[in-house]
Amino acid sequence: MKYRQYLLASAAAMTMAAPMAMAEDSSDPIIIPVHNWSSQIVMSHVVGQIFESMGNNVEYVSTDSQAVYESVRLGDVTLELEVWEGAFGKSFKEALAKGGLHDAGDHNAVTREDWWYPAWTKEACPGLPSWEALNDCAAAFATPETGDKGRFLGGPVDWLKHDAERVEALDMNFTVVNAGSASALWAEVAAAEKTKKPVVIFNWTPNFAEAVWPGEFVEFPAWEDGCDKDPSVGPNPDATYDCGNPANGYLKKAAWDGMKDKWPAAYETLTEISFTNPQIAEMAKLVDIDEMEPEDAAAEWLEANEDVWKPWTE
């Protein structure tokens, strides 16, 4: 961790040169939550190491990706760095309504989270990306586990993507099977690539996978506000979740209301931080493809991108 040592040495020098600025932040640790997908874990260490370079103390805690907003609201953790609209927008809004946390700004990234297939799958189902065509081809995705129904490999259960509700609402001939982790999704695609087996999985962007395996998202009925709550919204008047996820979703940051007073310098930097799709995909690649430890991946990303992050600390 030579680069991290360099950051900490720089922090010490900055503290000596500008003691008044550094004294503003509390010596208590900034608590950063980590979840179960690579970009969020690496980004958490990137931001944590930036805070350390400013003279702050940082701790990381493994936290449920839905419950984290309640933890931020209560001040048990200090912030959340990847608020995906599709996966976590509802939990985020519910916590906002209670008070105690706030929107700390958007990343310069556009997100999408939905059913996805690698390009070779189209050979077995030429009508893709239409969801109706996918449903007509359901038998091509059947496995011993799902019988005569197609198999959709969803993300971990705690991501709460409501895939089963969508299958029911759209009367799809598919069974939802949940992967235990993000790495299990990539293992599925990598195994299918060897024989060009058709597969459909949960995927998202920004993500390293789009550079490794070209593919497309399934096009469901377009997302409309209320589709997840009001049966009258969407094509099925008797069901909710009869639509796709937002195709151009936000990626936000959230902060505990007390952060701006307890760690004002770190908070100001947090509001300046804004990662792009390629930057986030690169963070995930360092772990998922290059097999680096998240802490080392963060240090490497920081060393290669000083022109990006150093202005955020000024």
Side-chain angles (χ1 to χ4, degrees):
M1 296 296 295
K2 292 182 179 178
Y3 185 64
R4 185 166 181 174
Q5 292 170 356
Y6 163 76
L7 287 174
L8 295 175
S10 297
M14 290 168 63
T15 303
M16 293 177 65
M20 293 297 291
M22 292 301 102
E24 293 179 1
D25 278 1
S26 169
S27 61
D28 290 345
I30 297 170
I31 308 297
I32 299 179
V34 293
H35 305 313
N36 55 354
W37 66 96
S38 297
S39 70
Q40 194 276 342
I41 299 171
V42 178
M43 185 188 295
S44 295
H45 282 277
V46 165
V47 173
Q49 290 179 31
I50 290 173
F51 288 161
E52 288 175 335
S53 79
M54 299 168 63
N56 288 287
N57 296 314
V58 174
E59 289 184 7
Y60 303 93
V61 294
S62 180
T63 310
D64 180 87
S65 56
Q66 296 289 346
V68 69
Y69 301 100
E70 185 71 7
S71 298
V72 176
R73 188 181 75 80
L74 297 173
D76 294 334
V77 300
T78 310
L79 51 86
E80 169 56 52
L81 290 166
E82 286 194 15
V83 186
W84 292 68
E85 180 176 6
F88 311 120
K90 182 179 179 181
S91 297
F92 176 52
K93 289 178 181 177
E94 288 175 351
L96 279 175
K98 293 179 182 178
L101 86 166
H102 59 274
D103 183 339
D106 288 13
H107 289 286
N108 195 23
V110 175
T111 67
R112 187 170 186 181
E113 312 157 69
D114 226 317
W115 292 31
W116 175 94
Y117 56 89
W120 64 79
T121 293
K122 240 178 177 175
E123 297 176 11
C125 193
L128 289 169
S130 160
W131 74 270
E132 293 101 328
L134 176 70
N135 200 41
D136 290 341
C137 297
F141 299 88
T143 67
E145 181 181 17
T146 62
D148 60 353
K149 292 189 175 183
R151 175 179 180 264
F152 167 71
L153 185 63
V157 173
D158 67 337
W159 292 2
L160 296 181
K161 298 310 301 176
H162 303 285
D163 296 307
E165 291 91 334
R166 182 188 295 173
V167 165
E168 182 176 358
L170 295 176
D171 194 24
M172 297 182 71
N173 194 30
F174 271 81
T175 296
V176 175
V177 177
N178 290 100
S181 65
S183 60
L185 294 170
W186 315 140
E188 175 82 4
V189 182
E193 183 180 24
K194 296 175 182 177
T195 60
K196 297 299 187 285
K197 175 186 173 183
V199 292
V200 58
I201 69 164
F202 176 73
N203 199 355
W204 61 94
T205 182
N207 186 329
F208 81 94
E210 55 202 299
V212 178
W213 299 294
E216 295 177 310
F217 286 101
V218 175
E219 297 297 342
F220 288 100
W223 164 264
E224 298 179 63
D225 286 338
C227 178
D228 55 341
K229 298 177 181 178
D230 184 355
S232 69
V233 178
N236 185 344
D238 300 317
T240 55
Y241 295 103
D242 51 337
C243 60
N245 291 317
N248 294 289
Y250 62 64
L251 187 65
K252 290 183 177 291
K253 301 159 290 180
W256 172 50
D257 283 350
M259 182 183 181
K260 56 183 176 293
D261 295 321
K262 191 168 184 178
W263 300 280
Y267 176 78
E268 183 65 25
T269 293
L270 175 66
T271 63
E272 294 293 326
I273 288 170
S274 180
F275 294 109
T276 65
N277 284 60
Q279 289 164 352
I280 295 169
E282 175 64 18
M283 292 178 194
K285 173 184 174 294
L286 291 170
V287 169
D288 291 323
I289 299 298
D290 299 342
E291 300 184 344
M292 297 181 68
E293 290 299 318
E295 196 172 72
D296 297 332
E300 179 164 312
W301 190 92
L302 286 164
E303 186 171 17
N305 292 276
E306 289 187 357
D307 59 325
V308 174
W309 65 268
K310 281 195 171 180
W312 297 337
T313 66
E314 295 172 357

